[in-house]
Amino acid sequence: QVRLVESGGGAVQAGGSLRLSCVASSATYWMSWFRQASGKEREGVAAIDGGGRKYYADSVKGRFIISKDNAKNSLYLQMNSLKPEDTAMYYCAADYGFGSAGALRAQLYHSWGQGTQVTVSS
């Protein structure tokens, strides 16, 4: 398994921006962001594959941007125009061995970070 460490969470007002970072101990094909709000299931936010193709949940399209730096084994999530409903614990995840249909499916990922809290106030 890959060791993942997230950073960059915090509290921000609606309309603000935050940038999350995740450092991986080694490279994998899929690197993704998930989030879990209190009392809700973990949901996929954005994913990027080994070829740099990006996948987004409909709820964040046009607001969030996923990117990676292969040289640093690092993953980023630029979150703009944040809404109170974006409040959640955000997790970095990594894995390989499945196609694009699984990009935002949490049950397919075996390596997870500890999470970083994002709180958006209205």
Side-chain angles (χ1 to χ4, degrees):
Q1 288 190 347
V2 178
R3 187 169 65 253
L4 303 166
V5 179
E6 304 101 330
S7 61
V12 65
Q13 289 190 329
S17 298
L18 282 174
R19 186 182 191 229
L20 306 184
S21 299
C22 171
V23 179
S25 59
S26 61
T28 59
Y29 186 78
W30 286 104
M31 291 194 77
S32 304
W33 290 99
F34 289 80
R35 67 186 180 187
Q36 188 165 17
S38 180
K40 295 188 177 181
E41 291 188 356
R42 192 168 297 190
E43 64 173 352
V45 175
I48 187 167
D49 70 16
R53 288 172 287 268
K54 303 175 183 181
Y55 305 84
Y56 295 96
D58 288 343
S59 58
V60 306
K61 281 180 182 176
R63 300 189 298 122
F64 291 10
I65 301 171
I66 190 171
S67 62
K68 65 177 181 177
D69 184 332
N70 291 329
K72 297 180 179 180
N73 284 338
S74 293
L75 179 72
Y76 307 98
L77 186 68
Q78 178 65 43
M79 304 186 294
N80 301 319
S81 302
L82 282 161
K83 304 175 181 179
E85 50 263 45
D86 294 318
T87 295
M89 186 71 79
Y90 282 71
Y91 297 91
C92 176
D95 218 302
Y96 58 91
F98 51 83
S100 59
L104 297 178
R105 294 179 61 190
Q107 59 266 42
L108 297 181
Y109 288 81
H110 295 89
S111 296
W112 293 87
Q114 82 287 353
T116 185
Q117 178 69 36
V118 171
T119 302
V120 185
S121 59
S122 57

